[in-house]
């Protein structure tokens, strides 16, 4: 891809011209940028290996239960699980051999399943199991420095938490909003999420469509439909989320506090009267483009149809009102596009 | 190409900052420079067009989803048909080479489905569900052909797939599932082959990766199921055909996506995942035949070995290729 006016060469010239780089710095910069990029493992390979580890962990659990008859002694689940996890973490630290890493990953997942399942079995409470999953997740972020493992551990903790919350007092759609808020908080707290946060945030982003699919598959859309997004917890959460995103969007701009507060209040109020999820999804798309962040863009792209779907099942409104609202909103956006495309800057390729 | 001619990305600035080339002030200035040169106009244009069209279409679908008894049938039809005619004329006037024209054509294609659904609501024709999707695909076929729009093609292929699946459920008798898998694998495989041929000839709108990956996934998945079926029970011709098709697809995918201009690591990973799943199924079958009562531990070791082996191979391919999406 040829960058033209946005190329790295032009950027270095700008930095040199503005005094941020001297001649030696420019040479070092060119050398650094010409070197092959340090890449992590491609996402599709990570996905394949993660899926392989899940499968191996399931087989190991089958071995523990069917072959070793572990189900007869549920009191050993937790200690055995913790020992298996510790062994896996130790094994992972011995080196970067792919097969050893895969072995450690499978054992760690099996150990987590044992420890979390054992806690649920002993306490008869999914809340306690969620506590155990959260503790393991936090401890393993430090003890097991591997991106695939981090993502899978987050997936385990989030699944357990969703099962607990979904079975008690939170609806599926509330959980989706909470997941979205979690991702955005992770992104907003760091200018760009580091390696520690990225796997977790990706899992949260993927959790949105997965949760919707699981809920619809398990209970049917009509069950999910009853759990309206218009309920108070979601509205409060989305209002806070929009407040936070407005501040985040303005972080790098020289904006006086008064208009920023006004903007934040305006979007929070919009969350109270309108379809806040759609607004949040749109804001995520804009922020994702502004920050050139594919994960944020993907999250916004997942959230938009999701909240559109939720709007369909908003039982406070008739289908006629909803269809008029949607058509009017769509036409407003298309009219906005026409107005924007008539502006001279729209043809210049930049703002 | 000179490495400095590519478009500056936020990651490049972070790399310079991490290497100590830029201090915090320089990093902030570089990030501001990049943000100031983002192509907001084009992006906003696409976003507003895409979401605006999606919302309008969703509104029309919502309206038609409920059987409004108070509205006479002719009003429903006239409304939808007027919208269709207006959309088609607008697409022609705007021009199919422009994003607005393409989006209008996409909208009209969706409206045809809504019109057929309303027709079924009003007249209760007793037609089977597959006829709706087959008719929809047939009616918009001409627009799809001239639209030169990847999402529209994918929508059309999805309609064909749904029609095949629904038709199979009603008419295909014994071994329906296997026949359906075979038909889906073949239909999506043919579509992918045509797509790849067009991309290889340099047709610009066919060059995007994501539609090809989607088609590859939807072609390989049903054939993988049939290959597993062949491992467990090879008594029917469908699983034989499916297993042979799977082998052919695997070979073709390896040849196409391994290297060269068409090389694509994601598609190769789909190939590898399919091979790994079938290998595991084969091992399980061997253990089963050998009367191993609980082959879980052996299967766990096999899963680790297969995933590790495939991961190592794919990483090596990635290192060779240098260019990853």
């Amino acid at each position: 891809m040829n960058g033209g006016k946005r190329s790295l060469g032009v950027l270095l010239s700008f930095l040199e011209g503005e005094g941020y780089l001297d001649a030696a710095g420019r040479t070092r910069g060119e050398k650094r940028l010409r070197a092959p990029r340090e890449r992590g493992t491609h996402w599709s390979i990570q996905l394949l290996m993660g899926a392989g580890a899940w499968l191996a962990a399931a087989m190991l659990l089958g071995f523990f239960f069917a072959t070793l008859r572990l189900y007869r002694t549920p009191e050993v689940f937790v200690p055995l699980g913790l020992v298996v996890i510790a062994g896996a973490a130790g094994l992972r630290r011995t080196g970067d051999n792919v097969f050893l890493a895969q072995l450690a990953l499978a054992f760690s997942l099996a150990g987590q399943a044992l420890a979390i399942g054992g806690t649920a079995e002993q306490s008869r409470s999914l809340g306690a199991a969620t506590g155990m999953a959260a503790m393991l997740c936090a401890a393993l972020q430090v003890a097991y420095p591997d991106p695939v493992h981090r993502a899978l551990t987050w997936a385990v903790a989030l699944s357990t938490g969703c099962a607990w919350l979904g079975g008690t007092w939170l609806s599926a759609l509330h959980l989706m909003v909470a997941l979205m808020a979690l991702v955005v908080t992770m992104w907003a707290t760091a200018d760009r999420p580091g390696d520690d946060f990225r796997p977790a945030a990706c899992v949260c982003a993927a959790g949105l469509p997965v949760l919707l699919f699981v809920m619809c598959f398990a209970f049917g859309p009509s069950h999910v439909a009853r759990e309206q997004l218009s309920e108070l917890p979601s509205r409060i959460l989305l209002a806070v989320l929009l407040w936070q995103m407005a501040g985040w969007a303005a972080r790098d701009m020289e904006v006086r506090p008064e208009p920023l507060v006004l903007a934040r209040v305006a979007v929070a109020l919009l969350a109270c009267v309108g379809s806040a999820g759609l607004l949040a999804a749109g804001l995520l798309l804009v922020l994702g483009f502004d920050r050139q962040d594919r994960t944020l863009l993907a999250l916004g792209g997942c959230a938009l149809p999701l909240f559109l779907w939720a709007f369909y099942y908003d039982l406070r409104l008739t289908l006629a009102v909803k269809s008029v609202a949607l058509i009017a909103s769509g036409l407003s956006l298309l009219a906005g596009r026409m107005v924007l495309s008539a502006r001279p800057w729209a043809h210049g390729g930049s703002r | 190409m000179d490495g400095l001619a590519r478009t500056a990305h936020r990651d490049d600035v972070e790399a310079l900052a991490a290497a100590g080339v830029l201090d915090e002030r320089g990093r902030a200035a570089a990030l501001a420079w990049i943000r100031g040169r983002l192509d907001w106009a084009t992006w906003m244009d696409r976003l507003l067009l895409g979401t605006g069209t999606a919302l309008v279409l969703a509104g029309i679908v919502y309206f038609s989803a409920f059987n409004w008894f108070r509205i006479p049938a002719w009003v429903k039809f006239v409304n939808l048909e007027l919208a269709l005619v207006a959309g088609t004329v607008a697409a022609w006037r705007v021009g199919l080479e422009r994003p607005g024209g393409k989006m209008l054509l996409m909208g009209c294609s969706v409206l045809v489905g809504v019109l057929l659904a309303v027709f079924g609501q009003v007249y209760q024709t007793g037609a089977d569900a597959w006829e709706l999707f087959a008719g929809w695909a047939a009616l918009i076929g001409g627009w799809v052909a001239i639209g030169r729009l990847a999402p529209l093609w994918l929508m059309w292929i999805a309609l064909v797939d749904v029609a095949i699946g629904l038709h199979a459920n009603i008419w295909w008798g014994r071994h329906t599932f296997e026949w359906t898998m075979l038909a889906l694998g073949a239909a999506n495989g043919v579509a992918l082959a045509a797509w790849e041929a067009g991309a290889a000839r340099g047709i610009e709108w066919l060059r995007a990766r994501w539609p090809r990956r989607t088609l590859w996934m939807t072609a390989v998945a049903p054939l993988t199921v049939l290959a597993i079926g062949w491992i467990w029970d090879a008594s029917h011709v469908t699983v034989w055909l499916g297993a042979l098709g799977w082998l052919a697809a695997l070979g073709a995918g390896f040849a196409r996506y391994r290297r060269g201009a068409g090389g694509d690591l994601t598609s190769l990973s789909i190939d590898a995942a399919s091979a790994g799943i079938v290998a595991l199924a084969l091992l399980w079958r061997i253990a089963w035949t050998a009367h191993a009562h609980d082959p879980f531990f052996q299967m766990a070791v096999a899963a680790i070995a297969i995933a590790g082996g495939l991961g190592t191979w794919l990483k090596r391919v990635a290192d060779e290729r240098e260019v990853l999406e």
Side-chain angles (χ1 to χ4, degrees), chain A residues 8-49:
Chain A
L8 285 169
V10 179
L11 171 63
L12 287 176
S13 300
F14 160 78
L15 291 170
E16 195 177 10
E18 294 292 318
Y20 296 112
L21 280 180
D22 53 18
R26 172 161 186 148
T27 310
R28 279 172 57 214
E30 285 181 358
K31 193 176 170 188
R32 178 74 185 81
L33 291 171
R34 281 202 173 101
R37 277 202 214 180
E38 287 173 19
R39 298 173 197 278
T41 307
H42 193 254
W43 67 268
S44 62
I45 303 176
Q46 292 193 5
L47 194 65
L48 188 143
M49 300 191 76

Side-chain angles (χ1 to χ4, degrees), chain B residues 269-304:
Chain B
S269 299
I270 295 171
D271 222 16
S274 172
I277 290 167
V278 173
L280 272 176
L282 185 64
L283 289 174
W284 186 278
R285 170 70 176 167
I286 290 168
W288 186 271
T289 312
H291 302 292
H293 291 297
D294 297 315
F296 290 108
F297 190 76
Q298 296 92 313
M299 290 309 297
V301 173
I304 289 164

Side-chain angles (χ1 to χ4, degrees), chain A residues 1-12 14-15 20-21 25 28-30 32-34 36-37 39 41-45 48-49 52-53 55-56 58-60 62-63 66-67 69 98-99 102-103 106-107 191-192 249 252-253 278 285-286 289-292 294 297 304 308-309 311-312 319-320 322-323 326-327 329-331 333-334 336-337 340-341 345-347 349-351, chain B residues 1-16 19-23 25-27 29-49 51-56 58-60 62-63 65-66 68 99-100 213 265-266 269 272-273 280 284 294 296-297 299-300 303-312 314-315 318 322-325:
Chain A
M1 181 171 35
N2 195 326
K5 289 178 181 173
R6 297 163 54 206
S7 70
L8 285 169
V10 179
L11 171 63
L12 287 176
F14 160 78
L15 291 170
Y20 296 112
L21 280 180
R28 279 172 57 214
E30 285 181 358
R32 178 74 185 81
L33 291 171
R34 281 202 173 101
R37 277 202 214 180
R39 298 173 197 278
T41 307
H42 193 254
W43 67 268
S44 62
I45 303 176
L48 188 143
M49 300 191 76
L55 199 61
M59 295 296 168
L60 282 174
F63 170 70
T67 311
R69 307 280 192 268
V98 173
F99 293 97
Q102 198 67 11
L103 185 70
F107 268 98
D191 188 35
R192 186 166 176 83
D252 297 340
M253 301 176 192
L278 287 173
L285 285 173
V286 175
F289 180 72
D290 184 53
R291 277 154 177 71
Q292 295 179 282
R294 283 184 186 176
L297 280 170
L304 197 67
L308 208 59
W309 175 88
F311 183 61
Y312 179 81
L319 272 174
K322 281 186 265 195
S323 62
L326 281 171
I327 291 171
S329 308
L331 290 177
L333 292 181
L334 293 174
R337 175 181 178 259
L340 282 179
S341 61
W345 61 263
H347 307 286
S350 67
R351 61 180 169 183
Chain B
M1 184 182 74
D2 181 5
L4 301 180
R6 64 185 161 85
T7 305
H9 192 275
R10 194 182 177 96
D11 289 345
D12 297 310
V13 176
E14 299 295 355
L16 288 178
V21 177
L22 285 176
D23 59 13
R25 279 178 54 248
R27 174 182 167 275
L31 288 177
W33 185 89
I34 288 177
R35 289 178 73 186
R37 279 154 188 77
L38 288 176
D39 193 355
W40 277 97
T42 307
W43 189 79
M44 284 302 286
D45 183 78
R46 300 288 188 275
L47 182 71
L48 290 173
L49 182 64
T51 47
T53 311
L55 289 178
V56 170
I60 294 172
Y62 279 26
F63 191 81
F66 192 77
W68 301 100
R213 289 171 183 162
L265 199 66
T266 306
S269 299
L280 272 176
W284 186 278
D294 297 315
F296 290 108
F297 190 76
M299 290 309 297
I304 289 164
I306 288 172
L310 289 173
T312 308
L314 285 168
K315 280 180 185 174
E322 271 289 314
V323 181
L324 299 183
E325 289 71 33

